[in-house]
Amino acid sequence: MNALQVELGERSYPIYIDSNIYNDLSYFQKHIRGNKVLVVCDSNTAQHYLQATLAMLSDYQCQSITLSAGESQKTLDTVSQIYDALMQYKFDRNCTLIALGGGVVGDICGFAAATFQRGVTFIQVPTTLLAQVDSSVGGKTGVNHPLGKNMIGAFHQPACVIADMSTLRSLPPRELKAGLAEVIKYGLIDDAEFYHWLNDNLQDLLALDTDKLAYTVTRCCGNKARIVAADERESGQRALLNLGHTFGHAIETAMGYGNWLHGEAIAAGMCMAARFSANSGFLAEEIVDSVVNTFKSVGLPTEPPADMTSEQFMDLMYRDKKVRDNVLTLVLMNDVGGAFLSSTFDTELLRTTLFQTLNK
Amino acid sequence: MNALQVELGERSYPIYIDSNIYNDLSYFQKHIRGNKVLVVCDSNTAQHYLQATLAMLSDYQCQSITLSAGESQKTLDTVSQIYDALMQYKFDRNCTLIALGGGVVGDICGFAAATFQRGVTFIQVPTTLLAQVDSSVGGKTGVNHPLGKNMIGAFHQPACVIADMSTLRSLPPRELKAGLAEVIKYGLIDDAEFYHWLNDNLQDLLALDTDKLAYTVTRCCGNKARIVAADERESGQRALLNLGHTFGHAIETAMGYGNWLHGEAIAAGMCMAARFSANSGFLAEEIVDSVVNTFKSVGLPTEPPADMTSEQFMDLMYRDKKVRDNVLTLVLMNDVGGAFLSSTFDTELLRTTLFQTLNK
């Protein structure tokens, strides 16, 4: 079993990474607060994992709520359903929420935990690769606004993260590929060695090689834990984790939440960030090609949707959370493993690059 | 001008207390972050203060939103209206919200600020006595759930509080009296000297004596700032500020939010807490009489609504945020200025006391 620690003072917590642990009480027990537990899952994870989870928690006053699946459900209305359940079951502050599912369930459940009675304990049990390597770690919680992704939210760290490799076996191939987009991101940001390892091992990961998956999740979480520990509230370097995300969020918002998976949108977004980095003179053309080929070999999109326009991109990107006083900070690259923040890039060149990519 | 400081490390902030300062830019300027400002008010404060506030902020990109007035508006839907405005006007993280109004506006606006883009700056400009002495200070923000008051929320400290005595002149007498309930509360908790001063000066306060109002707000805020600085997240002594509130919240929830004003409900609640303290052997009967007479002299209710039942009280009180694993912590009194927390009181005696009070 691999265990990592996210070092955040009194808010520090462990990430457990292994197989067949999602229903092992010994991992949960010391992190559950109080006697009342609400398991939050969606229609997919309910089918596979809810029964065993409830059986594991039979010594607690345990309730569950099953949300409809998909990014389109990541709304304030869905959070309200969780509040309703908590109130109906008379949960008090001394309770624990368990997010059993992918990134959407984790983000919604985490935000409910952040805001119910001004904050209660929650545990992340990510069941998708994307949630295991990224969204379950770091305490970003929240929901979407019709005009922008993740616009409503709070920082609220989980009590622990339990990443079970065996849950990845129930994952549809499209979701697995989407998760690999976030995995590749860690290589591109500051871990070139891992990027090269990935290029040699992507097909084994797609074939669900358990050891290689565990290695991958451990490496990604290690990278993320280090970055989050240094900058919990994203006042600086944590923003590097958003490589490809400003482009990607624009795609997700424009196409309607859930039509492009988050991983698909940021794969195209990272290719666009690489292309713009090259056009700006920061990145060699052959690295753009390598990046694009890596995403292609996984079967991920490397171009934005053909029906978006450059003006639509500009408009949506300038609503991003990384805009300050109308100045956008983008994550650009000068090498594989060499991501950096730039707020002094050439805005007109960005517009031109988008126009060239989209021909409109 | 009186200025107090709430000492919370890097989240410390000043409370300015004076007359004719709500539209004086010099108080706001150093606390506004960014260039975009949203003024949140309700239909009452819009009428009296919005125009001058917008004029003061003419150098900023300033927008405003006017909410319907009243506690019944303190819902997640109203918070959503603020998110919609922020998104529509393309506000980024580097912005400031100004809560111009009473406790309801402050709580809603504060929660929107706590959760928009995971937290932005906000300034409290409380225009009711209740908000000036209590709700604008301390960082509790949030909204009601149909089944319980303030159940959804976050801790989020303002950048400063600007309490302008002249705004109290526009306050309906009923609201002024309701504010005095929270004022008297500070005397009962741990400031007997202030309680006695109040008994000599309540009629002057009702007649809007500006100097005495400023003294009162300063004394209350000083008490609150001290308690909040010692226990920001209410893990202990801060709960004393809830004297009368568990009873009072039950009244507000049962009667429909806004039908009893918060101050009215907690006035009756403090009388009930005093009565139960006496029945439990903690408090002398003559002090119960004194407390009841003080509230009566202001014209505040000292009994719960006749159409509530003791069982309804018990049910609602056990949904309170101060319940842990089905154990309720009440604020009781052993003297004027001698409030204390008790979770070992006699539950059956509480039930009997409520039954005797309500005859059902």
Side-chain angles (χ1 to χ4, degrees):
Chain A
M1 199 264 297
N2 298 311
L4 294 166
Q5 183 81 354
V6 185
E7 298 291 354
L8 291 167
E10 59 184 18
R11 290 187 305 288
S12 297
Y13 55 92
I15 307 168
Y16 305 113
I17 302 163
D18 206 344
S19 287
N20 304 308
I21 57 172
Y22 84 93
N23 59 344
D24 183 338
L25 187 60
S26 62
Y27 290 91
F28 290 81
Q29 215 156 16
K30 62 180 166 231
H31 303 290
I32 290 178
R33 183 173 167 196
N35 194 36
K36 290 184 171 178
V37 178
L38 180 73
V39 180
V40 179
C41 57
D42 68 14
S43 42
N44 295 328
T45 49
Q47 187 188 335
H48 294 292
Y49 309 114
L50 182 56
Q51 209 182 343
T53 300
L54 294 177
M56 166 185 76
L57 297 166
S58 59
D59 285 348
Y60 296 86
Q61 291 175 46
C62 188
Q63 302 286 347
S64 69
I65 180 169
T66 301
L67 311 175
S68 302
E71 182 81 26
S72 63
Q73 302 300 314
K74 212 172 108 174
T75 64
L76 216 48
D77 281 347
T78 307
V79 178
S80 253
Q81 292 174 26
I82 300 177
Y83 296 143
D84 292 347
L86 291 165
M87 289 302 297
Q88 184 195 330
Y89 298 130
K90 297 193 184 182
F91 270 48
D92 58 55
R93 263 186 202 158
N94 202 20
C95 71
T96 301
L97 274 59
I98 295 179
L100 176 66
V104 171
V105 168
D107 284 4
I108 296 171
C109 176
F111 185 60
T115 52
F116 181 63
Q117 304 212 11
R118 300 197 190 94
V120 298
T121 298
F122 87 116
I123 291 174
Q124 290 270 22
V125 186
T127 60
T128 65
L129 182 60
L130 187 140
Q132 289 179 352
V133 300
D134 190 58
S135 62
S136 68
V137 175
K140 284 191 180 178
T141 73
V143 296
N144 300 327
H145 185 276
L147 296 178
K149 195 165 147 90
N150 294 335
M151 281 291 162
I152 302 160
F155 285 98
H156 189 57
Q157 301 292 344
C160 71
V161 179
I162 296 169
D164 186 337
M165 297 306 105
S166 48
T167 63
L168 300 180
R169 282 183 220 125
S170 67
L171 208 57
R174 187 182 167 194
E175 296 267 359
L176 186 68
K177 292 175 182 178
L180 284 173
E182 292 278 11
V183 168
I184 295 164
K185 184 191 76 174
Y186 289 101
L188 294 177
I189 290 174
D190 66 354
D191 194 349
E193 183 186 278
F194 183 48
Y195 176 79
H196 298 306
W197 181 89
L198 281 172
N199 272 319
D200 294 338
N201 291 281
L202 281 169
Q203 300 314 313
D204 291 342
L205 293 173
L206 285 169
L208 294 172
D209 180 313
T210 303
D211 288 345
K212 289 186 177 174
L213 283 171
Y215 171 75
T216 295
V217 172
T218 306
R219 184 116 180 184
C220 293
C221 286
N223 280 334
K224 178 146 188 184
R226 176 176 44 77
I227 293 170
V228 168
D231 178 21
E232 183 181 9
R233 295 250 164 180
E234 196 167 312
S235 46
Q237 292 302 298
R238 181 167 178 171
L240 291 175
L241 292 170
N242 296 312
L243 177 63
H245 280 58
T246 300
F247 296 94
H249 286 169
I251 295 173
E252 288 181 86
T253 303
M255 301 306 286
Y257 296 127
N259 292 312
W260 278 51
L261 295 180
H262 176 64
E264 293 167 346
I266 63 155
M270 285 184 269
C271 294
M272 294 173 82
R275 162 58 45 215
F276 179 58
S277 299
N279 285 5
S280 302
F282 297 125
L283 191 66
E285 286 290 338
E286 56 266 32
I287 296 186
V288 182
D289 295 341
S290 160
V291 169
V292 168
N293 285 332
T294 299
F295 288 114
K296 272 194 182 147
S297 74
V298 177
L300 282 162
T302 58
E303 301 281 350
D307 43 355
M308 283 183 71
T309 66
S310 50
E311 280 313 305
Q312 202 178 0
F313 258 101
M314 292 297 284
D315 182 57
L316 287 166
M317 289 170 74
Y318 274 85
R319 290 179 195 255
D320 194 89
K321 287 195 298 301
K322 285 165 288 300
V323 173
R324 296 277 184 289
D325 290 333
N326 223 32
V327 175
L328 171 63
T329 300
L330 276 179
V331 190
L332 300 179
M333 294 169 61
N334 56 31
D335 200 350
V336 162
F340 64 96
L341 300 175
S342 171
S343 50
T344 56
F345 61 84
D346 182 337
T347 313
E348 276 315 301
L349 184 63
L350 175 63
R351 196 185 297 273
T352 314
T353 302
L354 288 166
F355 191 86
Q356 286 165 349
T357 307
L358 291 149
N359 292 313
K360 62 194 167 213
Chain B
M1 198 263 298
N2 297 311
L4 294 166
Q5 182 82 353
V6 184
E7 297 291 354
L8 291 167
E10 60 184 19
R11 291 187 304 288
S12 297
Y13 55 92
I15 306 169
Y16 305 112
I17 302 163
D18 206 343
S19 287
N20 304 307
I21 57 172
Y22 85 91
N23 60 345
D24 182 337
L25 187 60
S26 63
Y27 289 91
F28 290 81
Q29 214 156 16
K30 62 179 166 230
H31 302 290
I32 290 177
R33 184 173 165 195
N35 194 36
K36 291 184 170 177
V37 178
L38 181 73
V39 179
V40 179
C41 58
D42 68 15
S43 42
N44 296 327
T45 48
Q47 187 188 334
H48 294 291
Y49 309 113
L50 183 56
Q51 208 181 344
T53 301
L54 294 177
M56 166 186 75
L57 297 166
S58 59
D59 285 348
Y60 296 86
Q61 291 175 46
C62 187
Q63 302 285 348
S64 70
I65 179 170
T66 301
L67 311 175
S68 303
E71 182 81 26
S72 63
Q73 303 300 314
K74 211 172 110 174
T75 64
L76 216 49
D77 280 347
T78 307
V79 179
S80 252
Q81 293 174 26
I82 299 177
Y83 296 144
D84 292 347
L86 291 164
M87 290 302 296
Q88 184 195 329
Y89 298 130
K90 297 194 185 182
F91 271 49
D92 57 54
R93 263 187 203 158
N94 203 20
C95 71
T96 301
L97 274 60
I98 295 179
L100 176 66
V104 171
V105 168
D107 284 3
I108 296 171
C109 176
F111 186 60
T115 52
F116 181 64
Q117 304 213 13
R118 300 197 190 94
V120 299
T121 298
F122 86 115
I123 290 174
Q124 291 270 20
V125 186
T127 59
T128 66
L129 182 60
L130 188 139
Q132 289 179 353
V133 299
D134 190 58
S135 62
S136 69
V137 175
K140 284 191 180 178
T141 72
V143 296
N144 300 326
H145 185 276
L147 297 178
K149 193 165 149 90
N150 294 336
M151 281 292 162
I152 302 161
F155 285 98
H156 189 57
Q157 301 293 343
C160 71
V161 179
I162 296 168
D164 185 337
M165 297 305 105
S166 47
T167 63
L168 300 180
R169 281 183 220 125
S170 66
L171 208 56
R174 187 180 166 195
E175 297 267 358
L176 185 69
K177 292 176 182 179
L180 284 173
E182 293 278 10
V183 168
I184 296 164
K185 183 190 77 175
Y186 288 101
L188 294 177
I189 291 173
D190 66 354
D191 194 350
E193 182 186 279
F194 182 49
Y195 177 79
H196 298 305
W197 182 89
L198 281 172
N199 271 320
D200 294 337
N201 291 281
L202 281 170
Q203 299 314 313
D204 291 343
L205 293 173
L206 285 169
L208 294 172
D209 179 312
T210 303
D211 288 344
K212 289 188 178 176
L213 282 170
Y215 171 75
T216 295
V217 172
T218 306
R219 183 116 181 184
C220 294
C221 286
N223 280 334
K224 179 145 188 183
R226 175 175 45 78
I227 293 171
V228 168
D231 179 20
E232 183 181 9
R233 295 249 163 182
E234 195 167 309
S235 46
Q237 293 301 298
R238 181 166 179 173
L240 291 175
L241 292 170
N242 297 311
L243 177 63
H245 279 57
T246 300
F247 296 95
H249 286 168
I251 294 172
E252 288 181 87
T253 303
M255 301 307 285
Y257 297 126
N259 291 313
W260 278 51
L261 295 180
H262 176 65
E264 294 167 346
I266 63 155
M270 283 185 270
C271 294
M272 294 173 82
R275 162 60 42 216
F276 179 57
S277 299
N279 285 4
S280 301
F282 297 125
L283 191 66
E285 286 289 339
E286 57 266 31
I287 296 186
V288 182
D289 295 340
S290 160
V291 170
V292 168
N293 284 333
T294 299
F295 288 114
K296 270 193 184 149
S297 75
V298 177
L300 283 163
T302 58
E303 301 281 348
D307 43 355
M308 283 184 71
T309 66
S310 51
E311 280 314 305
Q312 202 178 359
F313 258 101
M314 291 298 285
D315 183 56
L316 287 166
M317 290 171 73
Y318 275 85
R319 290 179 195 256
D320 193 90
K321 287 196 297 302
K322 285 165 288 299
V323 172
R324 296 278 184 285
D325 291 333
N326 223 32
V327 175
L328 172 63
T329 300
L330 276 180
V331 190
L332 299 180
M333 293 169 61
N334 57 30
D335 200 350
V336 162
F340 65 96
L341 300 176
S342 171
S343 50
T344 56
F345 61 83
D346 182 336
T347 314
E348 276 316 299
L349 184 63
L350 175 63
R351 196 185 297 271
T352 313
T353 302
L354 288 166
F355 190 86
Q356 285 166 349
T357 308
L358 291 150
N359 293 313
K360 62 196 167 213

